[in-house]
Amino acid sequence: MAGLLEGKAALVTGAASGIGRAAALAFAREGAWVAAADRNLDAAKATVRAIEDAGGEAVAIACDVTDDAQVAAMVAAAVEAFGSLDCAFNNAGIAPFQFNSGGVLAADLEEASWLGLIDVNLHGVWRCLRHEVAQMRRQGGGAIVNTASVLGLVGSGGSAAYVAGKHAVVGLTKAAAIDHAPENIRVNAVCPGYIETPMTEDTMRKRGEAIMARVPMARMGTPQEIAEAVVWMCSDRAAFVTGSCWQVDGGYTAR
């Protein structure tokens, strides 16, 4: 039986670890050729080796999503490798602690911390999306999934820049879905809850017990569980799904 993405070309940003690596592996398992992009090229190559070891086909691409020229080159390299761009998962992002903003009150944030988080988590998604759409227009359509967050749907103290950026990704997803539906380009978002990745280690160490008390399923999610939702949204089985933001959060936002 053919996979959900058989014969499709996929691009994943932030593919070096966590959700991005899991998604790249899931895309390949479902029959896609995968361009695994990350600013850490060596780690992206490790993702490619894992795909190849499982019998898939992939290429690694170095890209910093804060650099528009690198983003354009990334999309061009993916198309050069596989001939088209059918699916894109704009997953690259950073956590508050990476810009010294975790636990800082909104009005006390340093401007550099605010701008740094927003540049990666929002502007980076938009840069990727606009170059992906340009390619998908040329070929007659495609599917894009952006990584937002449950904190793109609700608030959280001490995380103002992260929360604002992820809310904006939700808004960008909805607006782009409306804009590009006539071009046969679907745009959706996944909103992960607290997932077992390196990015959540600092948060869970500091306040994991309080967070788990809010999760009805009483556990963290896995990167693979997010990847399954992304694969489905990129597949033809989701042909009438656009502008949606799917919560994969163990019930965190149901309370």
Side-chain angles (χ1 to χ4, degrees), residues 55-83:
E57 184 177 347
V59 296
I61 302 171
C63 182
D64 181 341
V65 298
T66 66
D67 185 324
D68 192 65
Q70 289 190 40
V71 173
M74 171 188 71
V75 172
V79 174
E80 181 178 1
F82 302 124

Side-chain angles (χ1 to χ4, degrees), residues 11 63-79 85 88 90 123-139 144 180 185:
L11 169 65
C63 182
D64 181 341
V65 298
T66 66
D67 185 324
D68 192 65
Q70 289 190 40
V71 173
M74 171 188 71
V75 172
V79 174
L85 180 62
N90 297 324
H123 299 163
V125 170
W126 172 75
R127 291 184 188 102
C128 291
L129 184 144
R130 76 188 194 96
H131 289 290
E132 292 154 0
V133 166
Q135 171 61 32
M136 291 175 178
R137 278 173 169 162
R138 289 191 286 270
Q139 64 192 42
I144 296 170
H180 301 294
I185 299 170

Side-chain angles (χ1 to χ4, degrees), residues 10-22 24 34-48 59-67 70-71 73-75 77-78 89-94 98 120 128 198-199:
L11 169 65
V12 179
T13 67
S17 65
I19 291 170
R21 176 172 285 184
V34 180
D38 201 279
R39 62 183 179 182
N40 184 337
L41 182 59
D42 287 340
K45 288 179 177 178
T47 298
V48 168
V59 296
I61 302 171
C63 182
D64 181 341
V65 298
T66 66
D67 185 324
Q70 289 190 40
V71 173
M74 171 188 71
V75 172
F89 181 32
N90 297 324
N91 170 70
I94 55 175
Q98 292 171 280
V120 177
C128 291
M199 282 182 61

Side-chain angles (χ1 to χ4, degrees), residues 185-239:
I185 299 170
R186 296 188 297 108
V187 186
N188 292 290
V190 64
C191 295
Y194 287 87
I195 309 301
E196 295 174 352
T197 72
M199 282 182 61
T200 60
E201 289 176 359
D202 182 73
T203 297
M204 297 307 294
R205 186 166 51 247
K206 292 176 178 176
R207 51 190 183 91
E209 186 175 341
I211 290 169
M212 285 299 101
R214 287 198 54 185
V215 181
M217 292 185 73
R219 68 172 177 87
M220 296 181 75
T222 68
Q224 293 75 22
E225 288 170 323
I226 306 303
E228 294 300 328
V230 174
V231 163
W232 182 80
M233 282 187 276
C234 285
S235 77
D236 292 340
R237 293 189 183 179

Side-chain angles (χ1 to χ4, degrees), residues 104-129:
V104 180
L105 301 183
D108 296 334
L109 277 169
E110 296 291 335
E111 185 175 11
S113 296
W114 172 272
L115 294 176
L117 268 166
I118 294 294
D119 198 24
V120 177
N121 289 352
L122 172 59
H123 299 163
V125 170
W126 172 75
R127 291 184 188 102
C128 291
L129 184 144

